[in-house]
Amino acid sequence: AAAAAAAMPGGGDDWVNHPLGAVHRIFAQNSADWEKKVVEYFREKLKDTTAANWVPSLNDVPLHYLKPNSLVKFRCMVQDMFDPEFYMGIYETLELNAKSKILRFGKYKDVAECGPQQEIALDSPKYVTRERQTFYCIPVPGESEWVKEVYASACQARGNPSTSYTPSRHKRSYEEDEDMEMHPPKLKEQCAAGCSASQGSGDAKRLEKEPPAGQQNLSNCTTSIDLNFPLPGEKGPACLVKVER
């Protein structure tokens, strides 16, 4: 992992595995034009011709190999769109004990941050409501196998298992892994992601072909999620991509 980090373009900043850390720093330093600074920051990181190869692709890396809130890419087709989503773009949380306020941002996140001893100050003059659009995206229909292989071979980011379990084979394609996740062996997983990976937890994902002994009795009641792919036999994740302005 250390060798990979040394070879990754963009310096020592872990902008792939922890992109929100960089966004937090920029937000704290440039409260007025922080969104513009964030775009400039990641454009600078990705200007190297090989930098994009270090960003994991949802087309090639199984979901359980991705860290929550990490930067990912997805080669896809937009199949559907949802109604606009309104969210807290800028808000303040009130520390109940200290009676102090912390300014936060909601962009690039699915939920607002609020600790157990905090509450959101809905009457704050700094409160800003934002809008974003959600698209239902699927892998490119009918994409040739040789095209997939070219993209997969160029990708340097293979990810690391997000659980303590280490599989016997480390390089599986998404197609080989998709039927081994969760306790129903044939349950296919739907991903929700934006610029960053879905905020799922690896604790519920398994890399085993067979379910644990306590779950053997579920093998007769497995279900399969219909991802509504336009062509039969297509494989890969379906993702909810949220586009921010």
Side-chain angles (χ1 to χ4, degrees):
M8 184 187 300
D13 197 4
D14 198 359
W15 55 278
V16 174
N17 290 322
H18 304 287
L20 285 179
V23 179
H24 276 285
R25 289 193 297 272
I26 296 172
F27 177 75
Q29 298 168 2
N30 306 272
S31 58
D33 58 347
W34 69 276
E35 293 173 282
K36 178 181 177 182
K37 295 293 185 182
V38 167
V39 174
E40 292 174 352
Y41 172 85
F42 284 99
R43 280 181 176 171
E44 179 68 20
K45 293 294 184 183
L46 291 168
K47 72 176 184 179
D48 189 291
T49 55
T50 62
N53 293 338
W54 290 98
V55 179
S57 171
L58 296 179
N59 302 92
D60 307 312
V61 181
L63 300 182
H64 49 257
Y65 273 64
L66 299 173
K67 295 182 178 180
N69 301 318
S70 60
L71 187 67
V72 297
K73 59 188 176 183
F74 186 36
R75 193 173 65 260
C76 61
M77 181 189 81
V78 175
Q79 188 180 45
D80 201 353
M81 63 185 296
F82 297 85
D83 292 333
E85 173 187 339
F86 296 94
Y87 69 100
M88 291 183 288
I90 302 292
Y91 62 98
E92 286 184 308
T93 55
L94 175 64
E95 296 281 351
L96 299 180
N97 295 331
K99 298 299 181 181
S100 60
K101 292 183 178 180
I102 301 176
L103 188 65
R104 302 182 185 274
F105 65 91
K107 197 171 185 177
Y108 311 118
K109 300 178 182 180
D110 285 328
V111 295
E113 291 183 85
C114 189
Q117 296 300 321
Q118 299 175 340
E119 65 179 23
I120 296 176
L122 297 176
D123 58 346
S124 170
K126 297 180 180 180
Y127 183 94
V128 178
T129 300
R130 295 287 180 86
E131 176 184 340
R132 56 191 171 197
Q133 190 71 54
T134 303
F135 297 92
Y136 182 80
C137 300
I138 62 173
V140 180
E143 187 175 58
S144 301
E145 286 300 323
W146 69 268
V147 175
K148 296 179 181 179
E149 292 173 1
V150 169
Y151 280 106
S153 62
C155 184
Q156 301 294 325
R158 303 305 303 177
N160 295 304
S162 58
T163 67
S164 58
Y165 177 83
T166 303
S168 58
R169 293 196 304 155
H170 295 280
K171 290 189 177 180
R172 293 181 181 143
S173 65
Y174 181 90
E175 288 82 356
E176 291 174 293
D177 272 287
E178 64 176 353
D179 289 333
M180 298 181 188
E181 298 180 338
M182 310 296 288
H183 50 266
K186 297 298 181 182
L187 180 63
K188 296 181 181 178
E189 182 170 2
Q190 183 172 354
C191 163
C195 294
S196 58
S198 189
Q199 298 195 24
S201 170
D203 294 337
K205 300 185 179 72
R206 302 184 183 276
L207 307 178
E208 307 162 355
K209 287 188 177 180
E210 298 297 332
Q215 297 172 352
Q216 293 287 353
N217 58 345
L218 297 176
S219 60
N220 294 327
C221 58
T222 60
T223 59
S224 179
I225 297 176
D226 183 9
L227 300 181
N228 198 29
F229 290 161
L231 298 179
E234 291 285 339
K235 294 183 178 181
C239 297
L240 298 179
V241 178
K242 297 184 179 182
V243 178
E244 315 259 3
R245 296 194 178 188

